Amino acid sequence: MSWLSKKIEKISAKRPRPDGKPALSVRERVSALKNLPEFLGLIWETSPTLTLGNIVLRLLRAALPVAMLYVARLILDSIIGLARTPGASLTPIIGLVSLEFGLAMLSDVLGRGVALLDSLLGDLFANRSSIRLMEHAGQLDLDQFENSAFYDKLERARRQTLSRTVLMSQVLSQAQDSITMVFLAVGLAAFNPWLLLLLLVAVVPAFLGESHFNERSYSLVHGWTPERRELDYLRQTGASDETAKEVKIFGLSGFLIERFKLLSDEFYQKNKSLVVRRAGWGALFAAVGAGGYYAAYVYIIAQAVRGTISIGQLTFLAGSFARMRGLLEGILSRFSSVAEGALYLQDFFDFFHLQPHIGRPEDQPTRPFPRPIREGFVFENVGFQYRGGTKWAIRNLSFTLRAGEKLALVGENGAGKTTLVKLLARLYDPTEGRILLDGHDLHDYDPAELRQEIGVIFQDFVRFQLSASQNLAVGRIEEKENTDRIQTAAAQSLADTVIQKLPGGYDQMIGRRFAGGVDLSGGEWQKIALGRAYMRDAQLLILDEPTAALDARAEHEVFQRFADLTQGKTAVLISHRFSTVRMADRILVIENGQFVEIGSHEELLARNGRYSELFALQAAGYR
């Protein structure tokens, strides 16, 4: 290892990365190249035909520079020979010029072919990577999405799906230029092997300097992932139709701008310091490289003056050295970029190494889901704690949700009602205790099959920027072409009254993100979301305060219809309105994540406990 490499190692070891981790050494950057075989394997899987075609074209193109330099040498020597032999025929020279012209045209055609295949293969790879990312994200657990460290990995992986197409082209170009260099090196080594050593001395320092600054750039970007996400959030929040009302009412524009300015200026200053130092060292190393090149050039000229080599050989050697210098600089510089890309590639693969915690090993059979549910769900001393948290969201919770029963959940905000619902749908697994379905632990059932039999509409349901028909079909997306089922679900949820007013009916785009979209009121959106539950046709239906934006009359009508349409099915209702809650067969009261009492509306009032107290407080508000 050269003294400069050791010096860079020493500097890198002392200076920490912005994310708090030690700076990567040259050896570690080279080690990052271990990601390339898997990356190249993904490229091959994307399209073996395009990949093979790309490789063949690049191999052919790699040999052309040497061939063209050699033909140029023959042309010059032939011209000098003709000048010494008056009256000689020009036919050989014309033939050589025609050959060089043909090689030039072939190089252009091959270059365009390579660019075409790079573009097609890059687009396919970006699409395949995006699909793979979405597929993997769909397999991960809900609590993983609620973790900021996970979001950092997801954000870095998402950025790599597009930028890795550049890495693909760089790796293939690296191989092509390396082959060209081998051909050129043979010619230079035959003349004077010391020229190759001079070439390395001229180029390597610049490569080491670029490697160091590429690592610093990666370190800066990697360490600033959380802040970059915050910048994106601030940019979106400060100029969005979804937040415009609150931003204007509360005068938040100045606050958001100030926060954005603070973060963006800090990143700018850190990046400015890096690029200024990079430019200074880059100029110095460029001067060293230029000096090495012209020293070799003077040596070759001196040999031509002494008559040791011909003018044609002078042209060939000078051209070969210049071309090799350019290729070597490109290879080393690109190697640094490839190494940097391989570091980012690790972020891409790290995301795919994340595994869900909920599920069963493939080699363990699952129980078939009961159709119909006969006994119901039993919570046995269930407790749940969010990963990394210290507070219990639910603790010591035991009760039974009987088959065909309508159970209402009552409790103040933060009592654990939504967490309980997510445990039922196995979006979470209990930290302690267990949940049984028809006498068997939920772990014994396939999570995907379980969720197919559960229809949940949360209070914070998603407002998909899709057509009205597709928004309803979200409840059972495989039925998106079943017009009768979609219209029936709309009628059951009263969403049909909303859709009838839309200019495009069921084909109308909802939401204003895309051209021609129409936005809905909160209550209208909730009717659309309720339609998804009816699309589900599930054995267990859960409504988690989905009618909060409806007035009391509309909510009562929705729940009355819900009660009629769920006859014989199991249902869970969460609502703060006791006029709705009393429609349930039984009411479960929880507080601070723990069981308080359970019974019918009349039974709980007669006990004069927590439910009775909450009911009286709400009733007093209506007097």
Side-chain angles (χ1 to χ4, degrees):
M1 185 179 292
S2 71
W3 68 269
L4 181 59
S5 177
K6 293 178 180 178
K7 183 68 174 176
I8 292 175
E9 289 268 14
K10 188 175 180 181
I11 294 173
S12 298
K14 288 183 177 179
R15 184 178 297 160
R17 285 157 52 180
D19 57 2
K21 299 179 181 178
L24 293 173
S25 66
V26 173
R27 186 178 294 106
E28 287 172 316
R29 289 195 292 273
V30 173
S31 177
L33 298 179
K34 69 180 183 297
N35 295 316
L36 291 181
E38 184 176 357
F39 174 64
L40 294 173
L42 292 176
I43 295 174
W44 178 265
E45 290 176 9
T46 299
S47 175
T49 301
L50 291 179
T51 305
L52 183 60
N54 198 313
I55 293 172
V56 170
L57 292 184
R58 286 182 180 276
L59 286 174
L60 292 174
R61 196 163 186 246
L64 288 179
V66 181
M68 293 179 68
L69 282 171
Y70 186 75
V71 171
R73 170 198 166 179
L74 295 178
I75 291 173
L76 282 174
D77 285 342
S78 297
I79 291 173
I80 293 172
L82 285 174
R84 295 171 180 172
T85 311
S89 173
L90 293 176
T91 302
I93 293 180
I94 294 174
L96 290 172
V97 172
S98 300
L99 177 59
E100 186 174 10
F101 173 75
L103 292 175
M105 292 300 299
L106 179 60
S107 178
D108 181 72
V109 170
L110 292 176
R112 293 178 185 277
V114 166
L116 173 62
L117 294 183
D118 273 359
S119 176
L120 295 176
L121 192 56
D123 288 345
L124 283 177
F125 180 74
N127 293 342
R128 185 184 179 95
S129 298
S130 297
I131 291 171
R132 187 184 175 201
L133 185 142
M134 289 188 288
E135 287 176 342
H136 190 69
Q139 297 172 3
L140 298 177
D141 300 330
L142 178 62
D143 66 335
Q144 290 175 290
F145 283 87
E146 297 168 340
N147 180 280
S148 60
F150 167 84
Y151 255 107
D152 288 342
K153 288 187 177 182
L154 175 60
E155 179 65 18
R156 287 193 286 265
R158 185 183 289 122
R159 291 178 185 274
Q160 301 317 308
T161 57
L162 296 177
S163 59
R164 291 315 91 203
T165 59
V166 176
L167 177 61
M168 177 199 72
S169 180
Q170 288 177 331
V171 171
L172 294 175
S173 296
Q174 200 79 330
Q176 175 185 324
D177 289 351
S178 297
I179 295 171
T180 302
M181 273 197 61
V182 170
F183 288 123
L184 293 171
V186 170
L188 282 178
F191 172 66
N192 193 325
W194 288 103
L195 290 177
L196 297 179
L197 180 61
L198 183 60
L199 186 65
L200 291 174
V201 171
V203 173
V204 168
F207 160 67
L208 294 174
E210 283 298 308
S211 296
H212 171 69
F213 285 109
N214 278 339
E215 180 277 322
R216 296 303 304 158
S217 177
Y218 166 80
S219 178
L220 178 63
V221 173
H222 184 281
W224 268 74
T225 298
E227 289 81 0
R228 285 160 66 92
R229 284 200 298 112
E230 184 175 351
L231 284 171
D232 289 341
Y233 174 76
L234 290 169
R235 188 185 296 109
Q236 176 68 20
T237 303
S240 169
D241 61 330
E242 297 176 357
T243 59
K245 297 190 297 295
E246 281 80 359
V247 169
K248 288 184 177 296
I249 289 293
F250 297 116
L252 298 179
S253 182
F255 165 76
L256 295 172
I257 291 171
E258 185 63 29
R259 177 61 180 164
F260 183 91
K261 186 175 184 299
L262 179 68
L263 286 175
S264 59
D265 284 351
E266 185 179 352
F267 183 79
Y268 170 77
Q269 292 300 329
K270 289 181 180 294
N271 192 54
K272 175 184 175 183
S273 173
L274 178 64
V275 297
V276 168
R277 286 185 288 115
R278 185 173 196 161
W281 282 101
L284 175 62
F285 291 139
V288 173
Y293 166 70
Y294 281 101
Y297 193 31
V298 167
Y299 175 77
I300 295 172
I301 291 174
Q303 297 303 308
V305 170
R306 295 192 187 110
T308 306
I309 60 175
S310 67
I311 298 299
Q313 287 175 309
L314 167 66
T315 304
F316 176 80
L317 291 172
S320 295
F321 191 88
R323 190 65 182 263
M324 274 198 71
R325 180 198 173 206
L327 286 173
L328 187 57
E329 284 182 343
I331 286 174
L332 293 178
S333 176
R334 198 184 298 122
F335 173 82
S336 187
S337 298
V338 168
E340 180 185 4
L343 287 171
Y344 286 107
L345 198 62
Q346 186 62 51
D347 298 328
F348 184 70
F349 290 136
D350 280 348
F351 175 75
F352 291 102
H353 292 156
L354 294 173
Q355 294 299 319
H357 305 286
I358 295 177
R360 289 177 61 83
E362 294 182 0
D363 58 346
Q364 294 186 20
T366 57
R367 294 188 61 82
F369 195 89
R371 295 181 179 85
I373 297 174
R374 300 186 181 279
E375 300 174 19
F377 295 82
V378 178
F379 279 59
E380 291 185 351
N381 196 35
V382 170
F384 178 76
Q385 194 174 42
Y386 287 94
R387 195 172 303 166
T390 57
K391 181 182 177 182
W392 288 89
I394 286 178
R395 195 78 191 275
N396 303 321
L397 189 60
S398 298
F399 72 95
T400 298
L401 172 59
R402 301 164 186 157
E405 179 181 35
K406 291 174 181 58
L407 178 71
L409 302 182
V410 171
E412 297 178 348
N413 289 334
K417 302 185 297 296
T418 298
T419 301
L420 187 155
V421 164
K422 291 176 180 177
L423 287 167
L424 260 179
R426 214 181 162 205
L427 295 174
Y428 301 145
D429 270 341
T431 306
E432 61 182 21
R434 61 176 185 164
I435 304 173
L436 306 178
L437 170 58
D438 281 4
H440 298 279
D441 196 306
L442 283 189
H443 288 85
D444 295 337
Y445 299 96
D446 180 1
E449 189 178 4
L450 169 70
R451 292 167 193 154
Q452 282 288 328
E453 296 296 331
I454 299 178
V456 187
I457 299 299
F458 294 105
Q459 181 178 7
D460 56 347
F461 59 85
V462 178
R463 303 183 180 194
F464 291 101
Q465 307 290 304
L466 302 170
S467 69
S469 174
Q470 291 168 333
N471 257 285
L472 289 163
V474 163
R476 189 170 287 275
I477 197 63
E478 60 270 22
E479 296 290 334
K480 62 182 180 298
E481 304 298 334
N482 191 336
T483 303
D484 291 339
R485 184 165 183 165
I486 291 172
Q487 292 180 351
T488 299
Q492 292 171 337
S493 67
L494 303 179
D496 59 339
T497 60
V498 176
I499 296 173
Q500 288 169 3
K501 302 175 185 177
L502 298 177
Y506 283 89
D507 295 326
Q508 175 66 51
M509 183 67 70
I510 302 178
R512 293 181 177 174
R513 177 166 297 183
F514 304 113
V518 175
D519 204 4
L520 304 178
S521 68
E524 290 172 330
W525 267 114
Q526 286 190 322
K527 290 178 180 178
I528 294 289
L530 284 168
R532 299 170 190 165
Y534 295 119
M535 276 292 297
R536 198 72 169 164
D537 191 26
Q539 295 194 65
L540 171 62
L541 287 174
I542 303 172
L543 300 187
D544 181 5
E545 299 189 63
T547 58
L550 300 177
D551 57 49
R553 181 186 297 275
E555 183 186 43
H556 180 79
E557 182 180 358
V558 165
F559 274 109
Q560 187 64 57
R561 179 167 296 202
F562 179 78
D564 294 339
L565 293 171
T566 55
Q567 289 295 328
K569 294 185 177 182
T570 309
V572 176
L573 316 174
I574 300 178
S575 176
H576 285 294
R577 289 184 179 138
F578 286 84
S579 58
T580 298
V581 168
R582 66 191 301 174
M583 297 167 56
D585 300 321
R586 288 193 303 161
I587 300 165
L588 170 64
V589 182
I590 57 177
E591 194 168 84
N592 296 322
Q594 297 190 340
F595 176 93
V596 175
E597 56 186 346
I598 190 169
S600 67
H601 173 72
E602 292 76 14
E603 291 171 345
L604 293 178
L605 286 180
R607 290 177 191 169
N608 200 29
R610 182 60 173 158
Y611 178 82
S612 178
E613 177 188 351
L614 293 173
F615 182 82
L617 285 172
Q618 189 170 111
Y622 287 103
R623 296 193 186 112

